[in-house]
PDB file of all heavy atoms in Angstrom:
ATOM      1  N   ASP A1437       5.282  11.567 -45.113  1.00  0.00           N
ATOM      2  CA  ASP A1437       4.060  10.802 -45.283  1.00  0.00           C
ATOM      3  C   ASP A1437       3.608  10.248 -43.923  1.00  0.00           C
ATOM      4  O   ASP A1437       4.381   9.643 -43.196  1.00  0.00           O
ATOM      5  CB  ASP A1437       4.349   9.653 -46.248  1.00  0.00           C
ATOM      6  CG  ASP A1437       3.117   8.802 -46.469  1.00  0.00           C
ATOM      7  OD1 ASP A1437       2.158   9.332 -47.057  1.00  0.00           O
ATOM      8  OD2 ASP A1437       3.112   7.637 -46.041  1.00  0.00           O
ATOM      9  N   THR A1438       2.347  10.476 -43.596  1.00  0.00           N
ATOM     10  CA  THR A1438       1.845  10.135 -42.267  1.00  0.00           C
ATOM     11  C   THR A1438       2.095   8.668 -41.923  1.00  0.00           C
ATOM     12  O   THR A1438       2.648   8.342 -40.871  1.00  0.00           O
ATOM     13  CB  THR A1438       0.328  10.391 -42.190  1.00  0.00           C
ATOM     14  OG1 THR A1438       0.087  11.715 -42.627  1.00  0.00           O
ATOM     15  CG2 THR A1438      -0.184  10.204 -40.785  1.00  0.00           C
ATOM     16  N   MET A1439       1.645   7.784 -42.812  1.00  0.00           N
ATOM     17  CA  MET A1439       1.715   6.370 -42.479  1.00  0.00           C
ATOM     18  C   MET A1439       3.156   5.886 -42.392  1.00  0.00           C
ATOM     19  O   MET A1439       3.474   5.005 -41.603  1.00  0.00           O
ATOM     20  CB  MET A1439       0.930   5.544 -43.509  1.00  0.00           C
ATOM     21  CG  MET A1439      -0.556   5.827 -43.516  1.00  0.00           C
ATOM     22  SD  MET A1439      -1.306   5.867 -41.872  1.00  0.00           S
ATOM     23  CE  MET A1439      -1.204   4.165 -41.425  1.00  0.00           C
ATOM     24  N   THR A1440       4.035   6.492 -43.172  1.00  0.00           N
ATOM     25  CA  THR A1440       5.445   6.100 -43.082  1.00  0.00           C
ATOM     26  C   THR A1440       6.004   6.438 -41.714  1.00  0.00           C
ATOM     27  O   THR A1440       6.663   5.618 -41.076  1.00  0.00           O
ATOM     28  CB  THR A1440       6.254   6.814 -44.174  1.00  0.00           C
ATOM     29  OG1 THR A1440       5.667   6.498 -45.430  1.00  0.00           O
ATOM     30  CG2 THR A1440       7.696   6.385 -44.162  1.00  0.00           C
ATOM     31  N   VAL A1441       5.714   7.654 -41.252  1.00  0.00           N
ATOM     32  CA  VAL A1441       6.220   8.071 -39.942  1.00  0.00           C
ATOM     33  C   VAL A1441       5.698   7.127 -38.863  1.00  0.00           C
ATOM     34  O   VAL A1441       6.460   6.598 -38.040  1.00  0.00           O
ATOM     35  CB  VAL A1441       5.787   9.521 -39.634  1.00  0.00           C
ATOM     36  CG1 VAL A1441       6.091   9.877 -38.195  1.00  0.00           C
ATOM     37  CG2 VAL A1441       6.488  10.479 -40.584  1.00  0.00           C
ATOM     38  N   LEU A1442       4.386   6.895 -38.878  1.00  0.00           N
ATOM     39  CA  LEU A1442       3.790   6.067 -37.818  1.00  0.00           C
ATOM     40  C   LEU A1442       4.343   4.649 -37.857  1.00  0.00           C
ATOM     41  O   LEU A1442       4.720   4.082 -36.833  1.00  0.00           O
ATOM     42  CB  LEU A1442       2.274   6.031 -37.964  1.00  0.00           C
ATOM     43  CG  LEU A1442       1.554   7.370 -37.829  1.00  0.00           C
ATOM     44  CD1 LEU A1442       0.052   7.163 -37.909  1.00  0.00           C
ATOM     45  CD2 LEU A1442       1.922   8.058 -36.525  1.00  0.00           C
ATOM     46  N   CYS A1443       4.383   4.067 -39.050  1.00  0.00           N
ATOM     47  CA  CYS A1443       4.817   2.671 -39.152  1.00  0.00           C
ATOM     48  C   CYS A1443       6.268   2.516 -38.741  1.00  0.00           C
ATOM     49  O   CYS A1443       6.625   1.552 -38.071  1.00  0.00           O
ATOM     50  CB  CYS A1443       4.615   2.148 -40.564  1.00  0.00           C
ATOM     51  SG  CYS A1443       2.879   1.932 -40.960  1.00  0.00           S
ATOM     52  N   ILE A1444       7.111   3.456 -39.125  1.00  0.00           N
ATOM     53  CA  ILE A1444       8.519   3.309 -38.767  1.00  0.00           C
ATOM     54  C   ILE A1444       8.700   3.477 -37.266  1.00  0.00           C
ATOM     55  O   ILE A1444       9.458   2.737 -36.640  1.00  0.00           O
ATOM     56  CB  ILE A1444       9.402   4.272 -39.585  1.00  0.00           C
ATOM     57  CG1 ILE A1444       9.458   3.751 -41.024  1.00  0.00           C
ATOM     58  CG2 ILE A1444      10.808   4.379 -39.009  1.00  0.00           C
ATOM     59  CD1 ILE A1444      10.263   4.573 -41.977  1.00  0.00           C
ATOM     60  N   LEU A1445       7.966   4.405 -36.662  1.00  0.00           N
ATOM     61  CA  LEU A1445       8.058   4.552 -35.202  1.00  0.00           C
ATOM     62  C   LEU A1445       7.653   3.254 -34.515  1.00  0.00           C
ATOM     63  O   LEU A1445       8.329   2.764 -33.612  1.00  0.00           O
ATOM     64  CB  LEU A1445       7.169   5.702 -34.725  1.00  0.00           C
ATOM     65  CG  LEU A1445       7.710   7.103 -34.952  1.00  0.00           C
ATOM     66  CD1 LEU A1445       6.658   8.139 -34.581  1.00  0.00           C
ATOM     67  CD2 LEU A1445       8.975   7.335 -34.146  1.00  0.00           C
ATOM     68  N   LEU A1446       6.518   2.698 -34.940  1.00  0.00           N
ATOM     69  CA  LEU A1446       6.064   1.455 -34.323  1.00  0.00           C
ATOM     70  C   LEU A1446       7.064   0.334 -34.585  1.00  0.00           C
ATOM     71  O   LEU A1446       7.342  -0.491 -33.715  1.00  0.00           O
ATOM     72  CB  LEU A1446       4.683   1.072 -34.867  1.00  0.00           C
ATOM     73  CG  LEU A1446       3.540   1.995 -34.428  1.00  0.00           C
ATOM     74  CD1 LEU A1446       2.292   1.716 -35.245  1.00  0.00           C
ATOM     75  CD2 LEU A1446       3.239   1.842 -32.950  1.00  0.00           C
ATOM     76  N   PHE A1447       7.623   0.339 -35.784  1.00  0.00           N
ATOM     77  CA  PHE A1447       8.559  -0.723 -36.133  1.00  0.00           C
ATOM     78  C   PHE A1447       9.837  -0.655 -35.296  1.00  0.00           C
ATOM     79  O   PHE A1447      10.451  -1.686 -35.013  1.00  0.00           O
ATOM     80  CB  PHE A1447       8.884  -0.664 -37.634  1.00  0.00           C
ATOM     81  CG  PHE A1447       9.863  -1.713 -38.069  1.00  0.00           C
ATOM     82  CD1 PHE A1447       9.519  -3.061 -38.005  1.00  0.00           C
ATOM     83  CD2 PHE A1447      11.128  -1.378 -38.519  1.00  0.00           C
ATOM     84  CE1 PHE A1447      10.424  -4.036 -38.391  1.00  0.00           C
ATOM     85  CE2 PHE A1447      12.033  -2.354 -38.912  1.00  0.00           C
ATOM     86  CZ  PHE A1447      11.681  -3.684 -38.847  1.00  0.00           C
ATOM     87  N   ILE A1448      10.216   0.561 -34.876  1.00  0.00           N
ATOM     88  CA  ILE A1448      11.394   0.664 -34.000  1.00  0.00           C
ATOM     89  C   ILE A1448      11.144  -0.119 -32.715  1.00  0.00           C
ATOM     90  O   ILE A1448      12.031  -0.794 -32.190  1.00  0.00           O
ATOM     91  CB  ILE A1448      11.727   2.141 -33.715  1.00  0.00           C
ATOM     92  CG1 ILE A1448      12.268   2.784 -34.989  1.00  0.00           C
ATOM     93  CG2 ILE A1448      12.734   2.272 -32.591  1.00  0.00           C
ATOM     94  CD1 ILE A1448      12.408   4.289 -34.918  1.00  0.00           C
TER      95      ILE A1448
END
Side-chain angles (χ1 to χ4, degrees):
Chain A
D1437 180 66
T1438 308
M1439 296 313 290
T1440 304
V1441 170
L1442 298 184
C1443 289
I1444 288 179
L1445 283 173
L1446 291 168
F1447 179 65
I1448 290 170

